[in-house]
Amino acid sequence: MKRKIIAISNQKGGVGKTTTAINLSTALAATGQKVLIIDLDPQGNASTGLGVDYGQRENSIYEVLAGQANISDSIRKTEIDNLYLIPSTVDLSGIEPELADVNDRAFTLKNIFNANEKLNEFDFIFIDCPPALSLLTVMAMTTANAIIVPLQCEFFALEGLSQLIKTIERVRQNLNPGLSIDGIVLTMYDSRNKLSSQVATDVRNHLREQVYETIIPRNVRVSEAPSFGMPALIYDQRASGSQAYLSLANEVIKQNKEQEAA
Ligand SMILES: Nc1ncnc2c1ncn2[C@@H]1O[C@H](COP(=O)(O)OP(=O)(O)OP(=O)(O)O)[C@@H](O)[C@H]1O
Ligand SMILES: [Mg+2]
């Protein structure tokens, strides 16, 4: 299988981007795929959620983008077989002004990728984006083959989606013609809440085949896991949220096989 780079993006905060990056990666790693997560958010939630403490974040993605570290030295193994991480720290919030004078700064990450063969070892690379349509997000979209958009099943779910899609279109036109939206994943679905199911129905009616079949339920085990520095799938594999991420991983694998055959 060819290496696939997927940016997990939505400028809305708290919709499940990081949770999806961590658990989808873990599920794919469990099937034997070699997976890398790049934490591209200064909040560093993906790093924390994978148990990489602040003291262990030397050679973070900030140093890589600033040209102070080689990307091969920034990749570390996690506690999970086949799953690797490039961590982030708050320093990353300072990268945009630092790159202000650089030509083609949207290509900073892509150029680093192209110059490093070690990244070809991975089957999947997920980029966990910050909640903003910022340079960091544009860099991720410029580097990626595809985007997965987590959408929370709540009233304002669709608000901001058109802005996100416009940004993706612009990146496709100017920076990365091959970029596709692989799918929208509905998150934090609460079956006892009428609004939740109404939003899910609305989104499916609007966006149809762009929406993954799997719906991620709201599940307390999923929200507890990061405080133990573990993916939900490791913390409690039987939890409904964990099972949903396994099912999403199967869809992603199937989708990629179909894309490769096409
Ligand atoms: N399926 C779920 N069930 C219960 N809680 C969840 C679920 N998914 C995510 N959460 C919780 O919701 C919060 C936001 O999730 P997450 O951090 O993944 O979102 P995000 O989009 O990455 O946020 P940000 O925009 O700040 O980066 C977290 O506290 C997380 O544990
Ligand atoms: Mg996040």
Side-chain angles (χ1 to χ4, degrees), residues 10-20 41 43 45 128-131 150 187-189 216-226 241 245:
N10 185 337
Q11 78 275 22
K12 255 174 103 85
V15 298
K17 293 181 289 293
T18 302
T19 304
T20 298
D41 183 350
Q43 297 182 100
N45 295 150
D128 185 25
C129 292
T187 63
M188 291 183 245
Y189 180 81
I216 311 298
R218 184 176 281 285
N219 177 204
V220 68
R221 305 299 271 169
V222 171
S223 57
E224 284 169 0
Y245 277 110

Side-chain angles (χ1 to χ4, degrees), residues 1 252-262:
M1 198 165 83
V252 167
I253 289 172
K254 184 162 169 268
Q255 177 182 36
N256 277 284
K257 280 195 182 135
E258 286 166 5
Q259 286 172 349
E260 274 181 22

Side-chain angles (χ1 to χ4, degrees), residues 197-251:
S197 59
Q198 201 180 326
V199 168
T201 307
D202 280 0
V203 170
R204 275 202 201 286
N205 284 340
H206 266 88
L207 299 156
R208 306 222 168 242
E209 65 281 355
Q210 295 216 67
V211 186
Y212 287 108
E213 292 286 329
T214 305
I215 296 186
I216 311 298
R218 184 176 281 285
N219 177 204
V220 68
R221 305 299 271 169
V222 171
S223 57
E224 284 169 0
S227 62
F228 296 94
M230 279 181 226
L233 263 164
I234 304 295
Y235 176 61
D236 183 352
Q237 198 194 38
R238 294 199 317 221
S240 60
S242 303
Q243 291 297 313
Y245 277 110
L246 285 175
S247 151
L248 181 64
N250 284 331
E251 275 194 71

